[in-house]
Amino acid sequence: MTNTDSKLIKPGSTIGILGGGQLGRMIALAGRAMGYRFVTMDPTEDAPCAQTADRQIVASYDDVKAAMQLASHSDVISYEFENVDAQVAEVLESQAYVPQGSRLLRITQNRIREKTAIREIGIPVAPFCVVNSLEDLQAAVRELGLPAVMKTATGGYDGKGQWVLRSEAELTEAYETLAKAGTELIVEQFIPFQLELSVIAARNPAGELAVFPTAENIHKENILHLSIVPARVSDEVKKRAEEIARTIVEKLDVVGLIAVELFLTADDQLYVNELAPRPHNSGHYTMDACVTSQFEQHVRAVCNLPLGSTELLSPVVMVNILGEHLQPVIDRIDKLPPTAKLHLYGKAESKVKRKMGHINVLAPTVEEALAHIEELEIWTHKTEVSS
Ligand code: AMP
């Protein structure tokens, strides 16, 4: 690491963010409170982050000229998604200061590289095989057994680009369907997990490291629904999950934030499923329940400020507001308990399954927070979206 890699970016400086979605918006909200200025680059006019930044460059994510413009306005650059175009990453790194670098991006952009890197540092992942043909798939299934999960190596999110293989009879159809994406495929052993957990950790260029408390995550149709903190697992499991995140940060030389998603099995084994080198939906609980939010921590980390305390101040449940929940939430806004904190992302169009916001419900126990959410009767019924 060179000296320029650990320079201090002082308040008053401008932070450039590639991507203008809700994660960028919440980074900018936290950073502005600390006196930073923001410029964002996103193809959508008035994107969620643009509403909270000082300036927006309206351009697609792979627009190299626009990336140069972003670089010229920024004292430091970060990103709010991992699928950063390789050429854009190169331009930003050569024309601007990008303390997070592009090595981790390259790893997390591809499930094969990601799982290989995690396995190489001695952390368990589901056993997997790389698949480039139907014959490879058949061999992989012989080796790993069924059920198994086939995924595209790049580009998938929220369960898209995935197929749970349950019988030999579906291999041809599954292969032909996923191969259409034109990327390599990976087949993983199916992990019969009891719970999904995640841990968010941060490191600044000076090498300081901080880990947030483990979250328990409940998904509905592959989209995060609830994050419950403290997670309802033993202290020993939490400690091991947090230790895994710490090891990943140290061994992969992470700067900025990283989210580590894990599976917990009935016999208390932990497997890392996925990494995200940025703030993460399962860390939104930190905004109201921790001394420092994940967004503030991200700003502190990329600016090389001392990291903030990750102490949990209250049990909390985060519930996501998808397009179909937005109107019911607004209709029942007077029913929200006084310890519920509403966050909406300012998206112009509400669509079913689109993440529109979230609520952090604080309570003396997570059971009480879950009961408050249940009482709102918003997430129990299917509600039509009116857009
Ligand atoms: P991913 O896109 O890798 O985060 O996967 C989306 C969801 O699919 C996960 O949250 C799990 O619920 C499920 N899943 C993915 N991989 C596996 C696996 N190897 N075993 C069991 N379930 C999985």
Coordinates of all heavy atoms in Angstrom, one line a residue, residues 153-230:
A153 N -22.5 -17.1 -13.2 CA -21.3 -16.6 -12.4 C -21.4 -15.1 -12.3 O -20.9 -14.6 -11.3 CB -20.1 -17.0 -13.1
T154 N -22.0 -14.4 -13.2 CA -22.1 -13.0 -13.1 C -23.5 -12.5 -13.3 O -24.3 -13.2 -13.9 CB -21.2 -12.3 -14.2 OG1 -21.6 -12.8 -15.5 CG2 -19.7 -12.6 -14.0
G155 N -23.8 -11.3 -12.8 CA -25.0 -10.6 -13.2 C -26.3 -11.0 -12.4 O -27.2 -10.3 -12.5
G156 N -26.3 -12.1 -11.6 CA -27.5 -12.4 -10.9 C -27.7 -11.7 -9.6 O -26.7 -11.2 -9.0
Y157 N -28.9 -11.4 -9.2 CA -29.1 -10.8 -7.9 C -30.5 -11.1 -7.5 O -31.4 -11.5 -8.3 CB -28.9 -9.3 -7.9 CG -29.9 -8.5 -8.7 CD1 -31.1 -8.0 -8.2 CD2 -29.8 -8.4 -10.1 CE1 -32.0 -7.3 -8.9 CE2 -30.7 -7.8 -10.9 CZ -31.8 -7.2 -10.3 OH -32.8 -6.6 -11.1
D158 N -30.8 -11.1 -6.2 CA -32.2 -11.4 -5.6 C -32.7 -12.7 -6.2 O -33.9 -12.7 -6.6 CB -33.1 -10.2 -5.9 CG -32.9 -9.0 -5.0 OD1 -32.1 -9.2 -4.0 OD2 -33.4 -7.9 -5.2
G159 N -31.9 -13.7 -6.4 CA -32.3 -15.0 -6.8 C -32.5 -15.1 -8.3 O -32.8 -16.2 -8.8
K160 N -32.2 -14.0 -9.1 CA -32.3 -14.1 -10.5 C -31.1 -14.8 -11.1 O -30.0 -14.7 -10.5 CB -32.4 -12.7 -11.1 CG -33.7 -12.0 -10.7 CD -33.9 -10.6 -11.5 CE -35.2 -10.0 -11.1 NZ -35.2 -9.4 -9.8
G161 N -31.3 -15.5 -12.2 CA -30.2 -16.3 -12.7 C -29.8 -17.5 -11.9 O -28.6 -17.9 -11.8
Q162 N -30.8 -18.1 -11.3 CA -30.6 -19.3 -10.4 C -31.6 -20.4 -10.7 O -32.7 -20.1 -11.1 CB -30.8 -18.9 -8.9 CG -29.7 -18.0 -8.5 CD -29.6 -18.0 -6.9 OE1 -30.0 -19.0 -6.3 NE2 -29.0 -17.0 -6.4
W163 N -31.2 -21.6 -10.4 CA -32.1 -22.8 -10.6 C -31.8 -23.8 -9.5 O -30.6 -24.2 -9.5 CB -31.9 -23.3 -12.0 CG -32.9 -24.4 -12.4 CD1 -33.2 -25.5 -11.8 CD2 -33.8 -24.3 -13.6 NE1 -34.2 -26.2 -12.4 CE2 -34.6 -25.5 -13.6 CE3 -34.0 -23.4 -14.6 CZ2 -35.5 -25.7 -14.5 CZ3 -34.9 -23.6 -15.6 CH2 -35.7 -24.8 -15.5
V164 N -32.8 -24.2 -8.8 CA -32.5 -25.2 -7.8 C -32.8 -26.5 -8.5 O -33.9 -26.8 -8.9 CB -33.4 -25.1 -6.5 CG1 -33.2 -26.2 -5.5 CG2 -33.2 -23.7 -5.9
L165 N -31.8 -27.3 -8.6 CA -31.9 -28.6 -9.3 C -32.3 -29.7 -8.3 O -31.6 -29.9 -7.3 CB -30.5 -29.0 -9.9 CG -29.8 -28.0 -10.8 CD1 -28.4 -28.3 -11.0 CD2 -30.5 -28.0 -12.2
R166 N -33.4 -30.3 -8.6 CA -33.9 -31.3 -7.7 C -33.9 -32.7 -8.3 O -33.9 -33.7 -7.6 CB -35.4 -31.0 -7.2 CG -35.4 -29.7 -6.5 CD -36.7 -29.4 -5.8 NE -36.6 -28.1 -5.2 CZ -36.0 -27.8 -4.0 NH1 -35.5 -28.7 -3.3 NH2 -36.0 -26.5 -3.6
S167 N -33.9 -32.9 -9.6 CA -33.8 -34.2 -10.3 C -33.0 -34.1 -11.5 O -32.8 -33.1 -12.2 CB -35.2 -34.7 -10.6 OG -35.7 -34.0 -11.7
E168 N -32.5 -35.3 -11.9 CA -31.7 -35.5 -13.1 C -32.5 -35.0 -14.3 O -31.9 -34.5 -15.3 CB -31.3 -36.9 -13.3 CG -30.5 -37.5 -12.2 CD -29.0 -37.5 -12.5 OE1 -28.6 -37.2 -13.6 OE2 -28.2 -37.8 -11.5
A169 N -33.8 -35.2 -14.3 CA -34.6 -34.9 -15.4 C -34.6 -33.5 -15.8 O -34.9 -33.1 -17.0 CB -36.1 -35.4 -15.1
E170 N -34.3 -32.6 -14.9 CA -34.4 -31.1 -15.2 C -33.1 -30.5 -15.7 O -33.0 -29.3 -16.0 CB -35.0 -30.3 -14.1 CG -34.3 -30.5 -12.8 CD -35.1 -29.8 -11.6 OE1 -35.5 -28.7 -11.7 OE2 -35.3 -30.5 -10.6
L171 N -32.0 -31.4 -15.7 CA -30.7 -30.8 -16.0 C -30.6 -30.1 -17.4 O -30.1 -29.0 -17.5 CB -29.6 -31.9 -15.9 CG -29.4 -32.6 -14.5 CD1 -28.1 -33.4 -14.5 CD2 -29.4 -31.5 -13.4
T172 N -31.1 -30.7 -18.4 CA -31.0 -30.2 -19.8 C -31.7 -28.8 -19.8 O -31.2 -27.8 -20.3 CB -31.6 -31.1 -20.8 OG1 -31.0 -32.4 -20.6 CG2 -31.4 -30.6 -22.2
E173 N -33.0 -28.8 -19.3 CA -33.8 -27.6 -19.4 C -33.1 -26.4 -18.5 O -33.0 -25.3 -19.0 CB -35.2 -27.8 -18.8 CG -36.1 -26.6 -19.1 CD -37.4 -26.7 -18.3 OE1 -37.7 -27.8 -17.7 OE2 -38.1 -25.7 -18.3
A174 N -32.6 -26.8 -17.4 CA -32.0 -25.8 -16.5 C -30.7 -25.3 -17.2 O -30.5 -24.1 -17.2 CB -31.6 -26.5 -15.2
Y175 N -29.9 -26.2 -17.8 CA -28.7 -25.7 -18.4 C -29.0 -24.8 -19.6 O -28.4 -23.7 -19.7 CB -27.9 -26.9 -18.9 CG -26.6 -26.5 -19.6 CD1 -25.5 -26.0 -18.9 CD2 -26.5 -26.4 -21.0 CE1 -24.4 -25.5 -19.5 CE2 -25.4 -25.9 -21.6 CZ -24.4 -25.4 -20.9 OH -23.3 -24.9 -21.5
E176 N -30.0 -25.2 -20.4 CA -30.3 -24.4 -21.6 C -30.8 -23.1 -21.2 O -30.6 -22.0 -21.8 CB -31.3 -25.2 -22.5 CG -30.6 -26.2 -23.3 CD -31.5 -27.2 -24.1 OE1 -32.7 -27.0 -24.0 OE2 -31.0 -28.1 -24.7
T177 N -31.6 -23.0 -20.1 CA -32.2 -21.7 -19.7 C -31.1 -20.8 -19.1 O -31.0 -19.6 -19.6 CB -33.2 -22.0 -18.6 OG1 -34.2 -22.9 -19.1 CG2 -34.0 -20.7 -18.2
L178 N -30.3 -21.3 -18.2 CA -29.3 -20.4 -17.7 C -28.1 -20.1 -18.6 O -27.5 -19.0 -18.5 CB -28.7 -21.0 -16.3 CG -29.7 -21.0 -15.1 CD1 -28.9 -21.1 -13.8 CD2 -30.6 -19.8 -15.0
A179 N -27.8 -21.0 -19.5 CA -26.7 -20.8 -20.5 C -27.0 -19.6 -21.4 O -26.1 -19.0 -21.9 CB -26.4 -22.0 -21.3
K180 N -28.3 -19.3 -21.5 CA -28.7 -18.1 -22.4 C -28.1 -16.8 -21.9 O -27.9 -15.9 -22.7 CB -30.3 -18.0 -22.4 CG -31.0 -19.0 -23.3 CD -32.4 -18.6 -23.4 CE -33.2 -19.8 -24.0 NZ -34.4 -20.2 -23.2
A181 N -27.8 -16.8 -20.6 CA -27.2 -15.5 -20.1 C -25.8 -15.3 -20.7 O -25.3 -14.2 -20.6 CB -27.1 -15.6 -18.6
G182 N -25.2 -16.4 -21.3 CA -24.0 -16.2 -21.9 C -22.8 -16.1 -21.0 O -21.7 -15.7 -21.4
T183 N -23.0 -16.4 -19.7 CA -21.8 -16.3 -18.8 C -21.5 -17.7 -18.3 O -22.3 -18.6 -18.5 CB -22.1 -15.4 -17.5 OG1 -22.7 -16.3 -16.5 CG2 -23.0 -14.3 -17.8
E184 N -20.4 -17.9 -17.6 CA -20.1 -19.2 -17.0 C -21.1 -19.5 -16.0 O -21.8 -18.6 -15.4 CB -18.7 -19.1 -16.3 CG -17.5 -19.5 -17.2 CD -16.3 -19.5 -16.4 OE1 -16.0 -18.5 -15.6 OE2 -15.5 -20.5 -16.5
L185 N -21.2 -20.8 -15.7 CA -22.2 -21.2 -14.6 C -21.5 -21.9 -13.5 O -20.4 -22.4 -13.7 CB -23.2 -22.1 -15.2 CG -24.1 -21.6 -16.4 CD1 -24.9 -22.7 -17.0 CD2 -25.0 -20.4 -16.0
I186 N -22.1 -21.8 -12.3 CA -21.5 -22.5 -11.2 C -22.6 -23.3 -10.6 O -23.8 -22.9 -10.6 CB -21.0 -21.4 -10.1 CG1 -20.4 -22.1 -8.9 CG2 -22.0 -20.4 -9.7 CD1 -19.7 -21.1 -8.0
V187 N -22.3 -24.5 -10.1 CA -23.2 -25.4 -9.4 C -22.7 -25.6 -8.0 O -21.6 -25.9 -7.8 CB -23.4 -26.7 -10.1 CG1 -24.4 -27.6 -9.3 CG2 -24.0 -26.5 -11.5
E188 N -23.6 -25.3 -7.1 CA -23.2 -25.5 -5.6 C -24.0 -26.6 -5.0 O -25.2 -26.7 -5.3 CB -23.5 -24.2 -4.9 CG -22.8 -23.0 -5.4 CD -23.4 -21.7 -4.7 OE1 -24.2 -21.8 -3.7 OE2 -23.1 -20.6 -5.2
Q189 N -23.4 -27.2 -4.0 CA -24.2 -28.1 -3.2 C -25.3 -27.3 -2.5 O -25.0 -26.2 -2.1 CB -23.3 -28.8 -2.2 CG -23.8 -30.1 -1.7 CD -22.6 -30.8 -0.9 OE1 -22.3 -30.4 0.2 NE2 -22.1 -31.8 -1.5
F190 N -26.5 -27.9 -2.4 CA -27.6 -27.2 -1.6 C -27.3 -27.3 -0.1 O -27.1 -28.4 0.4 CB -28.9 -27.9 -2.0 CG -30.1 -27.2 -1.4 CD1 -30.7 -26.2 -2.1 CD2 -30.6 -27.5 -0.1 CE1 -31.8 -25.5 -1.6 CE2 -31.6 -26.9 0.4 CZ -32.3 -25.9 -0.3
I191 N -27.2 -26.2 0.5 CA -26.9 -26.2 2.0 C -28.3 -26.1 2.7 O -29.0 -25.1 2.6 CB -26.0 -25.0 2.4 CG1 -24.7 -25.0 1.6 CG2 -25.8 -25.0 3.9 CD1 -23.8 -26.1 1.8
P192 N -28.6 -27.2 3.4 CA -29.9 -27.1 4.1 C -29.9 -26.2 5.4 O -29.8 -26.7 6.5 CB -30.2 -28.6 4.5 CG -28.8 -29.2 4.6 CD -27.9 -28.4 3.8
F193 N -29.8 -24.9 5.1 CA -29.6 -24.0 6.2 C -30.9 -23.8 7.0 O -32.0 -23.9 6.6 CB -29.1 -22.6 5.7 CG -30.0 -21.9 4.7 CD1 -31.1 -21.2 5.2 CD2 -29.9 -22.0 3.3 CE1 -32.0 -20.5 4.3 CE2 -30.7 -21.4 2.5 CZ -31.8 -20.6 3.0
Q194 N -30.6 -23.5 8.3 CA -31.7 -23.2 9.2 C -32.0 -21.7 9.2 O -33.1 -21.2 9.3 CB -31.3 -23.6 10.7 CG -31.5 -25.0 11.0 CD -32.0 -25.1 12.4 OE1 -31.5 -24.5 13.3 NE2 -33.1 -25.9 12.6
L195 N -30.9 -20.9 9.1 CA -31.0 -19.5 9.1 C -30.0 -18.8 8.2 O -28.9 -19.4 7.9 CB -30.6 -19.0 10.5 CG -31.7 -19.0 11.7 CD1 -31.0 -18.5 12.9 CD2 -32.9 -18.2 11.3
E196 N -30.3 -17.6 7.7 CA -29.4 -16.8 7.0 C -28.9 -15.7 7.8 O -29.8 -15.0 8.5 CB -30.0 -16.4 5.7 CG -30.3 -17.5 4.7 CD -30.7 -17.1 3.3 OE1 -29.8 -16.7 2.5 OE2 -31.9 -17.0 3.1
L197 N -27.6 -15.5 7.9 CA -27.1 -14.4 8.7 C -26.2 -13.5 7.8 O -25.9 -13.9 6.7 CB -26.1 -15.0 9.8 CG -26.7 -16.0 10.7 CD1 -25.6 -16.6 11.6 CD2 -27.8 -15.4 11.6
S198 N -25.9 -12.3 8.3 CA -25.0 -11.4 7.6 C -24.2 -10.6 8.6 O -24.7 -10.3 9.7 CB -25.7 -10.6 6.5 OG -26.6 -9.7 7.2
V199 N -23.0 -10.3 8.2 CA -22.2 -9.4 9.0 C -21.5 -8.4 8.1 O -21.0 -8.7 7.0 CB -21.0 -10.2 9.7 CG1 -20.2 -9.3 10.5 CG2 -21.6 -11.4 10.5
I200 N -21.6 -7.1 8.6 CA -21.0 -6.0 7.8 C -19.7 -5.6 8.6 O -19.8 -5.3 9.8 CB -22.0 -4.9 7.6 CG1 -23.1 -5.4 6.6 CG2 -21.3 -3.6 7.0 CD1 -24.3 -4.7 6.5
A201 N -18.7 -5.4 7.8 CA -17.4 -5.0 8.4 C -16.8 -3.9 7.6 O -17.2 -3.7 6.4 CB -16.4 -6.1 8.5
A202 N -16.0 -3.1 8.2 CA -15.3 -1.9 7.5 C -13.9 -1.9 7.9 O -13.4 -2.3 9.0 CB -16.0 -0.6 8.0
R203 N -13.1 -1.3 6.9 CA -11.7 -1.1 7.2 C -11.3 0.2 6.5 O -11.8 0.5 5.4 CB -10.8 -2.3 6.7 CG -9.4 -2.2 7.1 CD -8.7 -3.5 6.8 NE -7.3 -3.4 6.6 CZ -6.8 -3.1 5.4 NH1 -7.5 -3.0 4.4 NH2 -5.5 -2.9 5.3
N204 N -10.5 1.0 7.2 CA -10.0 2.2 6.5 C -8.5 1.9 5.9 O -7.9 0.9 6.3 CB -10.0 3.4 7.4 CG -9.2 3.3 8.6 OD1 -8.3 2.5 8.7 ND2 -9.4 4.2 9.6
P205 N -8.0 2.8 5.1 CA -6.7 2.5 4.5 C -5.6 2.4 5.5 O -4.6 1.8 5.3 CB -6.5 3.7 3.5 CG -7.9 4.2 3.2 CD -8.7 4.0 4.4
A206 N -5.8 3.1 6.7 CA -4.8 3.0 7.8 C -4.8 1.6 8.4 O -3.9 1.3 9.2 CB -5.1 4.1 8.8
G207 N -5.8 0.8 8.1 CA -5.8 -0.6 8.6 C -6.7 -0.8 9.8 O -6.8 -1.9 10.3
E208 N -7.4 0.3 10.3 CA -8.4 0.1 11.4 C -9.6 -0.7 10.9 O -10.1 -0.5 9.8 CB -8.8 1.5 11.9 CG -9.5 1.4 13.2 CD -10.1 2.8 13.6 OE1 -9.8 3.8 12.9 OE2 -10.9 2.8 14.5
L209 N -10.1 -1.6 11.7 CA -11.2 -2.5 11.3 C -12.3 -2.5 12.3 O -12.1 -2.4 13.5 CB -10.5 -3.9 11.3 CG -11.1 -5.0 10.5 CD1 -10.1 -6.1 10.2 CD2 -12.3 -5.7 11.2
A210 N -13.5 -2.5 11.9 CA -14.7 -2.6 12.8 C -15.7 -3.5 12.2 O -16.0 -3.5 11.0 CB -15.2 -1.1 13.0
V211 N -16.4 -4.2 13.1 CA -17.4 -5.2 12.7 C -18.8 -4.9 13.3 O -18.8 -4.7 14.6 CB -17.0 -6.6 13.1 CG1 -17.9 -7.7 12.6 CG2 -15.6 -6.9 12.5
F212 N -19.8 -4.8 12.6 CA -21.2 -4.6 13.1 C -21.7 -5.9 13.6 O -21.3 -7.0 13.2 CB -22.1 -4.1 12.0 CG -21.9 -2.6 11.7 CD1 -21.1 -2.2 10.6 CD2 -22.4 -1.6 12.5 CE1 -20.9 -0.9 10.3 CE2 -22.2 -0.3 12.2 CZ -21.4 0.1 11.1
P213 N -22.7 -5.8 14.5 CA -23.4 -7.1 15.1 C -24.0 -7.9 14.0 O -24.6 -7.3 13.0 CB -24.4 -6.5 16.0 CG -24.0 -5.1 16.4 CD -23.3 -4.6 15.2
T214 N -24.0 -9.2 14.1 CA -24.6 -10.1 13.2 C -26.1 -9.9 13.0 O -26.8 -9.8 14.0 CB -24.3 -11.6 13.7 OG1 -22.9 -11.8 13.9 CG2 -24.8 -12.6 12.7
A215 N -26.6 -9.9 11.8 CA -28.0 -9.8 11.5 C -28.6 -11.2 11.1 O -27.9 -11.9 10.4 CB -28.3 -8.8 10.5
E216 N -29.8 -11.5 11.5 CA -30.5 -12.6 11.1 C -31.4 -12.2 10.0 O -32.2 -11.2 10.2 CB -31.3 -13.2 12.2 CG -32.3 -14.3 11.8 CD -33.2 -14.7 13.0 OE1 -32.9 -14.4 14.2 OE2 -34.2 -15.3 12.7
N217 N -31.4 -12.8 8.8 CA -32.1 -12.3 7.6 C -33.2 -13.3 7.2 O -32.9 -14.5 7.1 CB -31.1 -12.0 6.5 CG -30.1 -11.0 6.9 OD1 -30.5 -10.0 7.5 ND2 -28.9 -11.2 6.5
I218 N -34.4 -12.7 6.9 CA -35.5 -13.6 6.4 C -35.8 -13.0 5.0 O -36.1 -11.8 4.9 CB -36.7 -13.6 7.4 CG1 -36.2 -14.2 8.7 CG2 -37.9 -14.3 6.8 CD1 -37.2 -14.3 9.8
H219 N -35.8 -13.9 4.0 CA -36.1 -13.5 2.7 C -37.5 -14.0 2.3 O -37.9 -15.0 2.8 CB -35.1 -14.2 1.7 CG -33.7 -13.6 1.8 ND1 -32.8 -14.1 2.8 CD2 -33.0 -12.6 1.2 CE1 -31.7 -13.5 2.7 NE2 -31.8 -12.5 1.7
K220 N -38.1 -13.3 1.4 CA -39.4 -13.8 0.8 C -39.2 -13.7 -0.7 O -38.8 -12.6 -1.2 CB -40.6 -12.8 1.2 CG -41.3 -13.2 2.4 CD -42.6 -12.4 2.6 CE -43.2 -12.7 3.9 NZ -44.3 -11.8 4.2
E221 N -39.4 -14.8 -1.3 CA -39.2 -14.9 -2.8 C -37.8 -14.3 -3.2 O -37.7 -13.5 -4.1 CB -40.3 -14.2 -3.5 CG -41.7 -14.9 -3.3 CD -42.8 -14.1 -4.0 OE1 -42.7 -13.9 -5.2 OE2 -43.8 -13.8 -3.3
N222 N -36.8 -14.7 -2.4 CA -35.4 -14.3 -2.7 C -35.1 -12.9 -2.4 O -34.0 -12.4 -2.8 CB -35.0 -14.7 -4.1 CG -34.6 -16.2 -4.2 OD1 -33.9 -16.7 -3.3 ND2 -35.0 -16.8 -5.2
I223 N -36.0 -12.1 -1.9 CA -35.7 -10.7 -1.6 C -35.7 -10.5 -0.1 O -36.6 -11.1 0.6 CB -36.8 -9.7 -2.3 CG1 -36.8 -9.9 -3.8 CG2 -36.5 -8.3 -1.9 CD1 -37.9 -9.1 -4.5
L224 N -34.8 -9.8 0.4 CA -34.7 -9.6 1.8 C -36.0 -9.0 2.3 O -36.5 -8.0 1.8 CB -33.5 -8.7 2.2 CG -33.3 -8.5 3.7 CD1 -32.9 -9.8 4.4 CD2 -32.3 -7.4 4.0
H225 N -36.6 -9.6 3.4 CA -37.8 -9.1 4.0 C -37.5 -8.5 5.3 O -37.9 -7.3 5.6 CB -38.8 -10.3 4.1 CG -40.0 -10.0 4.9 ND1 -40.8 -8.8 4.7 CD2 -40.7 -10.7 5.9 CE1 -41.8 -8.9 5.6 NE2 -41.8 -10.0 6.3
L226 N -36.9 -9.2 6.2 CA -36.6 -8.8 7.6 C -35.1 -9.0 7.9 O -34.5 -10.0 7.5 CB -37.4 -9.6 8.6 CG -38.9 -9.6 8.5 CD1 -39.5 -10.6 9.5 CD2 -39.5 -8.2 8.9
S227 N -34.5 -8.0 8.7 CA -33.3 -8.2 9.3 C -33.5 -8.1 10.8 O -34.1 -7.0 11.2 CB -32.2 -7.2 8.9 OG -31.8 -7.5 7.6
I228 N -33.1 -9.1 11.6 CA -33.4 -9.1 13.0 C -32.1 -9.0 13.8 O -31.2 -9.9 13.5 CB -34.2 -10.4 13.3 CG1 -35.5 -10.5 12.5 CG2 -34.4 -10.6 14.8 CD1 -36.2 -11.9 12.5
V229 N -32.0 -8.1 14.7 CA -30.7 -7.9 15.4 C -31.1 -7.5 16.9 O -31.8 -6.6 17.1 CB -29.9 -6.7 14.8 CG1 -28.5 -6.7 15.5 CG2 -29.8 -6.9 13.3
P230 N -30.5 -8.3 17.9 CA -29.6 -9.4 17.7 C -30.2 -10.6 17.0 O -31.4 -10.9 17.2 CB -29.2 -9.7 19.2 CG -29.7 -8.6 20.0 CD -30.8 -7.9 19.3

